[in-house]
Amino acid sequence: MQAALALWRTKGFADTTVTDICKAAGVSKALFYVYFSRREDVLLAVEVFTVHDAQLAAETVLARPYELVELIAAVIGPLESQMRNYPPELVFETILETYRLERRALADGTAQDQLTVLFLIPFQQAQRDGKLPARTDVACAARIAQTLLTDCIRRWAASDFGSESLTEPLAREITELVLGTNH
C-alpha cells in the first residue's frame, strides 16, 4: 500500500499500473493478487478517509448538548482533514470507486441503510434527542446527507481542494436540506 501511495503521489493514479506497484514494493504480481483483485482495491485499503474517525467525532458531539449542524460538521470535519493529506486525484478516484462499490452492493441486494454508515446512527440519535422531527425518515435523510457529501467531495477534489474549508458550508447545506424535507 505504501508503494502504491508513493507512486500515486508521483505518477498519478491513472498512470500507475499493478506492475508498477509490484516493482516498487518488491513483490510478485502473484503475491499482489493474493491480497488484492485489482489496483482499486489497494486504493480502498489505503483508507483515504475513514468512517471510524467520523463516527468518533459524532459520538463526542452526541455526548453533550448540540445542534444538528454541529453533529453534521463533526462527521465531515475528520474526513476533510484526512483528505487533505492525499493528492486530489487520489481522493477523486476514491470517491469514484466508492460509487462503484455502492452500485455492486445494490445489485447484490444490500439494503440502502447499510450504505449510509456515516450519518445513519448519528441521525437516529439526533431524532431520539429531538433534533430531527419524529416523522423524519432517518434512513432517507442519511442517504441524502451522504450523497451530498460524496458529490461535494468529488467536486472539491476535482478542483484541487480549493483554499476554503468544506466542512462548515456543507454542514449547513445538509442541515437545511434534511430539515427541509420535513416541511
Side-chain angles (χ1 to χ4, degrees), residues 8 17 35-36 39 47 62 64 77 97 101 140-141:
W8 290 334
T17 66
Y35 294 98
F36 306 104
R39 87 185 154 142
E47 294 186 340
L62 290 167
R64 60 170 176 71
E97 191 55 29
L101 280 175
C140 180

Side-chain angles (χ1 to χ4, degrees), residues 32-102:
F32 176 91
Y33 287 114
V34 166
Y35 294 98
F36 306 104
S37 58
R38 51 203 184 97
R39 87 185 154 142
E40 289 81 3
D41 293 339
V42 179
L43 180 64
L44 295 174
V46 168
E47 294 186 340
V48 170
F49 44 87
T50 62
V51 172
H52 179 72
D53 291 342
Q55 289 171 335
L56 288 176
E59 288 173 12
T60 300
V61 170
L62 290 167
R64 60 170 176 71
Y66 65 94
E67 294 300 322
L68 185 60
V69 70
E70 292 174 90
L71 177 61
I72 294 170
V75 171
I76 298 169
L79 299 176
E80 177 179 356
S81 178
Q82 291 164 350
M83 287 183 293
R84 287 190 182 274
N85 294 322
Y86 296 96
E89 178 193 11
L90 201 56
V91 173
F92 187 84
E93 290 295 333
T94 303
I95 291 295
L96 293 179
E97 191 55 29
T98 59
Y99 285 147
R100 290 182 193 107
L101 280 175
E102 180 180 11

Side-chain angles (χ1 to χ4, degrees), residues 5 9 19 30 43 58 71 87 90 97 103 123 144 148 154 159:
L5 263 176
R9 288 178 196 272
T19 301
L43 180 64
L71 177 61
L90 201 56
E97 191 55 29
R103 181 175 169 256
F123 281 7
I144 289 168
L148 190 56
R154 180 190 54 79
S159 68

